Amino acid sequence: MSIFDRFSLKGRVALVTGGGRGLGFEIARAFTEAGAHVVLTGRTAATLDSAVATIAKSGGSAEAATFDIADVTAGRAAIADIRQTCGRLDILVNNVGARDRRPLAAFGDDDILELIRTDLLSAISLSRDAAEIMKAQGHGRLIAVTSIVGEMARPGDAIYPAAKQGLTGLMRSMAVEYGAHGVTSNAIAPGMFATETNAALAENPDMLSFARQRVPLQRWGRPEEIAGAALFLASDAATFVNGHVLTVDGGMSVQM
């Protein structure tokens, strides 16, 4: 097998949460270009249908599963449906991440629980159920999209970093628990990416100046620049990579 063949995902089935747009869509599109069948999740059917259509036009194979990732019951049902219809699940990408930028004192208990439920609890539940399928296969890839703010913090953004650090801890625990079964667990920590969600920030002159000062590459990341990291971790090129956080931030987190 050549090194290029090791990046093939032919015959694999992947689930990408939040796959209708932004980083999730670029990850899903890369997987389909490498030969995988991808199930995209999200809350908005129209967004998912558009993403599936875009992938199909390029010859890729994808389908949509519309549900709120914070609904654990719906998530479990989606995993069960994939198992029944596809017969396997090789890759899970926990990509969804809601953000609520407020100081800690501004959060009520219900607000905290809502954010943790979306950003962390959903990933725990989906990973648990997906890992059982992967263990039976003797092969699987669990990938968490965390954030550089899982290791760094800024004022007025209290709960999101806590949830992302929890996701990193989950990834490491799963790396230890499932490694013997041929299932690897890794994470991608993105920095500043100009996704649809961040479009206004990315176009703000002050934030452009901030990027030039704080990011050694002196710019925001383009969404498609996340794809290579995800494809690597999902592929047979990363068979001995387990429990690792791959930072994709243009060098922001290493510059003093």
Side-chain angles (χ1 to χ4, degrees):
M1 178 184 292
S2 74
I3 186 61
F4 299 106
D5 291 334
R6 292 175 188 169
F7 284 92
S8 172
L9 299 182
K10 186 176 181 180
R12 304 279 170 84
V13 176
L15 173 62
V16 179
T17 69
R21 61 178 187 167
L23 300 185
F25 174 72
E26 295 299 338
I27 290 170
R29 177 157 58 180
F31 286 178
T32 61
E33 289 179 359
H37 173 71
V38 180
V39 180
L40 312 177
T41 82
R43 292 183 297 181
T44 307
T47 300
L48 292 177
D49 290 344
S50 176
V52 169
T54 299
I55 288 171
K57 285 180 182 178
S58 300
S61 177
E63 62 180 286
T66 307
F67 65 94
D68 186 345
I69 199 67
D71 185 343
V72 173
T73 301
R76 298 201 76 177
I79 292 285
D81 185 63
I82 292 170
R83 186 174 198 169
Q84 182 176 1
T85 59
C86 299
R88 62 187 301 117
L89 178 59
D90 302 280
I91 305 158
L92 169 65
V93 180
N94 283 303
N95 165 70
V96 169
R99 196 160 192 173
D100 187 344
R101 290 182 173 89
R102 284 188 284 167
L104 183 57
F107 277 91
D109 290 344
D110 289 342
D111 298 327
I112 295 171
L113 289 172
E114 181 179 356
L115 202 59
I116 294 298
R117 188 178 295 114
T118 299
D119 289 356
L120 182 56
L121 180 58
S122 64
I124 294 173
S125 179
L126 285 177
S127 297
R128 176 197 60 205
D129 295 344
E132 290 305 304
I133 300 174
M134 294 174 183
K135 282 172 60 179
Q137 297 169 171
H139 172 274
R141 299 285 183 266
L142 300 167
I143 302 172
V145 178
T146 60
S147 172
I148 60 171
V149 301
E151 301 290 339
M152 306 164 65
R154 291 181 59 81
D157 192 16
I159 305 301
Y160 184 78
K164 289 300 186 178
Q165 184 60 43
L167 197 55
T168 300
L170 171 68
M171 176 275 293
R172 289 176 173 148
S173 296
M174 294 191 303
V176 174
E177 184 165 346
Y178 298 123
H181 302 281
V183 179
T184 64
S185 180
N186 294 287
I188 301 170
M192 297 169 61
F193 274 83
T195 62
E196 295 93 334
T197 303
N198 293 328
L201 282 175
E203 295 173 1
N204 184 300
D206 291 338
M207 291 304 297
L208 288 171
S209 177
F210 178 80
R212 284 192 291 269
Q213 293 173 11
R214 287 289 292 116
V215 182
L217 295 185
Q218 298 188 350
R219 62 176 176 85
W220 286 67
R222 298 183 293 272
E224 64 270 20
E225 291 180 301
I226 204 73
L231 178 58
F232 167 64
L233 292 177
S235 74
D236 287 344
T239 51
F240 206 57
V241 181
N242 191 33
H244 179 69
V245 179
L246 177 52
T247 301
V248 185
D249 69 349
M252 179 177 179
S253 57
V254 299
Q255 177 166 288
M256 294 182 64

